[in-house]
Amino acid sequence: MKPDVFEAPDYYNLDDLLSEEHKLVRDAARQWVKRDISPIIEEYAQKAEFPEQIIGGLAEIGAFGPYIPEEYGGAGLDQISYGLIMQEIERGDSGVRSTASVQSSLVMYPIFAYGTEEQRKKYLPKLATGEWMGCFGLTEPNHGSNPGGMETKFKDAGDHYVLNGAKLWISNSPFADIAVVWAKNEEGRIHGLIVERGMEGFSTPETHNKWSLRASATGELIFDDVKVPKENLLPGKTGLGAPLGCLDSARYGIAWGAIGAAMDCYDTALRYAKERVQFGKPIAAYQLQQKKLAEMITEITKAQLLAFRLGQLKNEGKATTAQISMAKRNNVEMAITIAREARQMLGGMGITGEYSIMRHMMNLESVITYEGTHDIHLLITGADITGMPAFK
C-alpha cells in the first residue's frame, strides 16, 4: 500500500485569507482522509462497495451539517469551513464527498430550514453523529433536469398522507434511515416529506453496474401506498423553490469538492513527472509536460479564488443561485479536464488503481451531471444575464 504523500497546491497563498479555525477544520479533514480513506478507497472502488465503517469518522471531522447550529448537533461553522471539508473529502473520493454532501445539504439543511422545531430536535442530532443517515428524493426516472414535472404524489387520508411514486439516482438510498422526499399534493403543489425506513411500502433497491462513484451507494426510492404521518411534512417552504434551495447548498459544496479531486490529480502528475525518466531526463523537463502542469495549477488557482469568494458571499447571505451554478459548472469542468490531462501524463500507469487519477476521472463524469447538468448550469447563467430562460 502506497503512503498518501499528497501536498495541497496553494499558488496564490490563499491560506493567508483563511482564519485559524478554517485551517484547523481543513487540516483535521485532510489528516482523516490520509489515514482513513486513502488506504482503503481503491479496494472499495474496485469492488463497488461503500465503506460504511467511515461514517463515524465523517461525523467526527464535522462533515455532517457543519453549518448547522450546535444546539441541533451541528458544528456551527461557517460556509468556507463547509467548503474546505468538502474539498478535502473529495480529494479522497467524490463518492465519499457525495455521502457527506447529501447528509448535510440535502437532508439536514431542509429539516433545519423548512422543518418544525420538533423535527429539528428529533432528526438533526442523530444525523449529525451519523447514527442516522439520510437521502434526498427529487430526481425521477422521467424527470431529471425538469424536476417540476415530477410524478410522485401524496394525498390526504385523514390522520396521515399516502405517498406513491419512485425516485432514481439517489445517493445513500440503500442504507439511509430517512429520506427527504419531494412530492406533489392533490393540488399539484410540491412539498417535502420525511419518510422513514420501515414504513410499509417503502423500499430502496440498489443501483448496480456503475463505472462511476463506485465507492458510493446509489439506489432508488419506491413508494407504494406509503403511510406518512402528518407531522413528517416539512411546513416551512413549498413549491419547486424548496428543493432547489437545498440544491444551492449542495452545488456550493461541489464547487469546493471538485477542487480537491483536481488537486489530487495535479499533485500525482507533478510527482510522477519529476520521477519518470524518458530520453535521459525526467518528463517534467519537457515543454509539453510543463505546459500541462502549468495549465493545471493555473486553473486550480482560479477555481480556488472563485470558491473562496463564493464562500464569502454565502456567509453574508448574498450568494445567488446563478453564482453558485457558475462555480459548480466551472470547477467541475476544470477538475475533469485536469484528471484527463494527468491521466495522459502517467501513460499506461494512469489507468491503474495504483494511482487515484482514473478513479477521480470516472467519478467526475457523475459530478459533472448531478446536481444540475453541465449544460443546464450554462443556461442558468445565460438566463441570468439575458433575462430570458432558454430551458422552458
Side-chain angles (χ1 to χ4, degrees):
M1 187 183 300
K2 292 170 67 174
D4 183 343
V5 293
F6 170 76
E7 291 178 43
D10 182 13
Y11 205 72
Y12 262 43
N13 299 345
L14 259 81
D15 267 22
D16 294 350
L17 300 176
L18 301 178
S19 69
E20 286 308 308
E21 183 177 66
H22 290 147
K23 287 184 268 198
L24 282 169
V25 166
R26 180 200 59 198
D27 292 348
R30 185 171 293 169
Q31 289 309 120
W32 177 77
V33 167
K34 286 194 173 198
R35 188 186 73 237
D36 288 7
I37 298 300
S38 300
I40 65 163
I41 197 64
E42 298 297 344
E43 176 195 348
Y44 277 86
Q46 288 283 357
K47 62 186 183 183
E49 186 181 316
F50 173 69
E52 290 195 32
Q53 71 271 22
I54 68 171
I55 287 173
L58 283 167
E60 282 173 27
I61 62 167
F64 296 150
Y67 49 79
I68 298 292
E70 292 181 54
E71 64 181 296
Y72 301 115
L77 299 171
D78 75 344
Q79 291 291 325
I80 291 173
S81 294
Y82 172 52
L84 288 165
I85 294 169
M86 294 302 106
Q87 171 187 283
E88 295 305 315
I89 297 174
E90 189 144 358
R91 202 279 296 181
D93 187 75
S94 303
V96 177
R97 198 267 310 138
S98 294
T99 300
S101 276
V102 168
Q103 185 87 336
S104 296
S105 291
L106 301 183
V107 181
M108 296 178 73
Y109 173 79
I111 293 172
F112 173 70
Y114 312 147
T116 64
E117 189 63 16
E118 291 73 23
Q119 289 167 343
R120 291 184 194 122
K121 286 177 173 166
K122 177 180 178 181
Y123 295 106
L124 293 177
K126 288 184 171 164
L127 290 164
T129 62
E131 180 184 341
W132 287 353
M133 294 298 293
C135 64
F136 176 87
L138 181 64
T139 300
E140 297 188 356
N142 296 325
H143 302 282
S145 294
N146 177 25
M150 71 173 64
E151 296 164 42
T152 301
K153 292 180 170 62
F154 68 98
K155 61 185 181 188
D156 194 323
D159 63 344
H160 62 272
Y161 300 116
V162 177
L163 178 66
N164 280 287
K167 304 290 183 178
L168 187 62
W169 304 121
I170 310 300
S171 293
N172 300 359
S173 94
F175 58 76
D177 300 287
I178 69 166
V180 173
V181 179
W182 301 93
K184 288 179 176 174
N185 66 7
E186 288 155 281
E187 289 76 50
R189 185 75 178 167
I190 294 171
H191 291 261
L193 297 156
I194 301 170
V195 181
E196 300 178 24
R197 185 171 296 282
M199 288 182 176
E200 196 174 342
F202 174 42
S203 58
T204 58
E206 186 161 1
T207 302
H208 296 288
N209 297 327
K210 298 181 299 176
W211 288 116
S212 182
L213 299 182
R214 287 172 61 83
S216 172
T218 310
E220 302 172 55
L221 301 174
I222 309 291
F223 313 106
D224 183 9
D225 285 336
V226 179
K227 292 179 180 175
V228 181
K230 288 203 165 173
E231 61 264 28
N232 284 30
L233 185 84
L234 295 173
K237 192 172 173 108
T238 66
L240 194 55
L244 294 184
C246 307
L247 292 175
D248 273 352
S249 180
R251 290 163 177 167
Y252 167 76
I254 292 169
W256 281 89
I259 297 171
M263 292 196 306
D264 197 55
C265 292
Y266 165 78
D267 185 64
T268 302
L270 178 61
R271 277 173 209 285
Y272 186 87
K274 288 177 175 178
E275 295 166 2
R276 173 71 167 166
V277 174
Q278 291 290 283
F279 306 107
K281 60 183 177 181
I283 62 172
Y286 291 99
Q287 288 182 352
L288 285 176
Q289 305 307 315
Q290 290 194 6
K291 175 181 184 288
K292 286 185 172 75
L293 291 166
E295 287 176 342
M296 286 181 198
I297 191 60
T298 302
E299 292 306 312
I300 287 170
T301 301
K302 285 153 65 175
Q304 287 173 323
L305 290 163
L306 193 64
F308 181 79
R309 177 58 185 148
L310 186 61
Q312 290 179 320
L313 292 170
K314 280 279 280 179
N315 280 341
E316 295 163 11
K318 293 178 182 173
T320 68
T321 294
Q323 287 170 333
I324 293 167
S325 277
M326 178 185 280
K328 190 269 184 183
R329 182 182 186 275
N330 180 82
N331 291 8
V332 178
E333 181 176 45
M334 171 277 299
I336 206 166
T337 300
I338 285 176
R340 289 168 180 159
E341 289 289 302
R343 207 291 305 157
Q344 288 194 54
M345 289 184 67
L346 267 68
M349 291 307 296
I351 71 162
T352 71
E354 189 174 341
Y355 296 93
S356 60
I357 292 171
M358 192 75 175
R359 177 172 49 80
H360 282 306
M361 197 165 120
M362 293 193 300
N363 284 342
L364 289 163
E365 288 291 347
S366 290
V367 182
I368 206 165
T369 293
Y370 72 24
E371 312 276 359
T373 69
H374 197 58
D375 291 347
I376 288 290
H377 283 301
L378 190 74
L379 296 180
I380 289 171
T381 304
D384 192 52
I385 58 178
T386 64
M388 293 178 263
F391 44 77
K392 289 181 182 173

